[in-house]
Amino acid sequence: MNQRVLLERLFSDSSATRPGLAQSTGLSLPTVIAALNDLEAVGLVRQSGLSEVAHGRPAATYEPNPDAGAVVGVDIGHEWLRLIVTDLTGGRLAATDIRNSATTALGLVDLTGSAVESIKSEAGIAAGALVHTVIGSPGVYDATRQRINYAANLPGWQRLGIAEALSAQLGSELTIDNDANLAAIGEHSYGAVRDIDNFVYITIGTGVGIGLFLNGSLYRGARGAAGEAGYLPLGQTLVPAPADRPPRGMLEEAIAADAVVAQARHLGMSEPLTAESVFNAARNGDSIALKVVEREAEQLAQLVASVLALFDPAVVVFGGGIGQNFDLMESTITTALRAISPMTAPLTRGALGQQAIVMGAVASGLEIARRHAFDVRTARQPAAGE
């Protein structure tokens, strides 16, 4: 227990002296010295230098050993795969974005596997050094059935066998998590809400979802589906769900990227159209694009009003491809919200942009990997003759 306390303190503070660790943890100096020696012997910490002191002998400083393992975070999106590799201290070793060119679910599994192998090679990770991989994906992973549910925007992704195929490609030390949940973790760990323990992260892009960070931790619900906001009966649907894919929720059909495109087309904007091009045109003053953005913001206000009534967050954070354009929608959202609800909270854009999900995957992976590395390296080895 003393070793774990000291290692967690070093991960938090980056480096410290033995007297400093004794003071911050309340452990005695002899206990700290013995525990650090044990952690150093199994390769979890290392001496990093000497502290600068005004008087007396400099004290040795200790830090977590970054070579104790590595973590891969992966964001699997409709258009892009984003990957980051870090060591166990969180130091970035490699990062890449890859266009999602897969045409089938199994093809996406293969693409993910090859992307992970490629970035591991780029990062120079030795065999066996990868401790954990976290994948952010649309939908909710059902560990009992080993199936990803509610992933309508990735064709075939809800089929039985996809999760097992990912595990076969990437190894058993794998976590599959919802993308909005990971984005919330990313913004809390590295982004716009690092000091806030009650917030809601709303992501709007190809799909719609929310991450609920309540009372200092992520709230998942009884079956992991808390935050599947796309299924709320809100909004005015413009885009009928195609018969060849799983049904999306009413709100997602009304405000996701293809609904923005459909509205722009309905109002006569020139092709080719994407949600990104519509928002870019609005930034340049295009009158039709501005009407599309206004409609999108008015419908988002309904979602914000629901969030405020249900969860009373300290902050509402916007992300995703559309959410990153919050500055264009803020005034309309605020005005529409005032008309339908007396409740208010600060509204802000996420700080991590399109990196929020993969950064959340890294943060989640580091927490798991650090525990795993500690458990494996400090496991008691049988003495000779036992």
Side-chain angles (χ1 to χ4, degrees), residues 288-351:
I288 297 178
L290 286 168
K291 290 180 181 179
V292 177
V293 169
E294 182 179 17
R295 177 186 183 277
E296 179 77 0
E298 288 172 346
Q299 296 197 108
L300 271 173
Q302 298 180 53
L303 175 56
V304 174
S306 301
V307 162
L308 295 179
L310 292 171
F311 305 110
D312 187 28
V315 181
V316 177
V317 184
F318 288 85
I322 291 175
Q324 286 302 303
N325 293 282
F326 171 70
D327 58 314
L328 287 178
M329 300 183 288
E330 180 177 9
S331 177
T332 302
I333 291 175
T334 302
T335 300
L337 186 60
R338 193 178 298 123
I340 60 177
S341 174
M343 298 182 178
T344 62
L347 311 178
T348 188
R349 180 173 59 186

Side-chain angles (χ1 to χ4, degrees), residues 19-173:
L21 287 167
Q23 183 177 13
S24 64
T25 62
L27 299 173
S28 69
L29 184 57
T31 298
V32 169
I33 292 172
L36 282 178
N37 287 341
D38 290 339
L39 289 170
E40 189 174 13
V42 297
L44 286 171
V45 305
R46 66 185 185 185
Q47 293 190 40
S48 57
L50 298 174
S51 65
E52 295 183 5
V53 294
H55 304 286
R57 179 183 299 177
T61 59
Y62 287 80
E63 66 180 7
N65 182 3
D67 298 330
V71 166
V72 176
V74 185
D75 166 19
I76 297 180
H78 184 263
E79 296 185 2
W80 292 93
L81 274 67
R82 307 183 196 278
L83 299 91
I84 294 177
V85 182
T86 75
D87 58 38
L88 284 197
T89 69
R92 186 174 295 197
L93 304 176
T96 189
D97 294 347
I98 298 172
R99 176 73 70 174
N100 183 355
S101 58
T103 57
T104 66
L106 289 177
L108 182 52
V109 170
D110 291 339
L111 179 63
T112 302
S114 63
V116 169
E117 287 303 313
S118 176
I119 200 170
K120 283 167 56 180
S121 176
E122 180 183 345
I125 298 176
L130 180 60
V131 181
H132 206 81
T133 301
V134 175
I135 287 179
S137 162
V140 177
Y141 178 57
D142 180 345
T144 302
R145 300 180 64 198
Q146 294 188 308
R147 181 172 182 172
I148 302 169
N149 298 317
Y150 315 125
N153 292 307
L154 288 178
W157 207 237
Q158 299 186 116
R159 287 171 40 195
L160 286 171
I162 295 301
E164 292 95 325
L166 284 168
S167 294
Q169 283 274 2
L170 302 176
S172 60
E173 296 301 326

Side-chain angles (χ1 to χ4, degrees), residues 252-317:
E252 189 162 273
E253 294 287 2
I255 67 172
D258 50 4
V260 171
V261 171
Q263 175 71 357
R265 187 175 291 127
H266 175 72
L267 294 178
M269 280 192 73
S270 301
E271 301 282 357
L273 289 171
T274 65
E276 181 179 10
S277 69
V278 172
F279 276 91
N280 287 341
R283 287 191 183 280
N284 292 325
D286 184 283
S287 59
I288 297 178
L290 286 168
K291 290 180 181 179
V292 177
V293 169
E294 182 179 17
R295 177 186 183 277
E296 179 77 0
E298 288 172 346
Q299 296 197 108
L300 271 173
Q302 298 180 53
L303 175 56
V304 174
S306 301
V307 162
L308 295 179
L310 292 171
F311 305 110
D312 187 28
V315 181
V316 177
V317 184

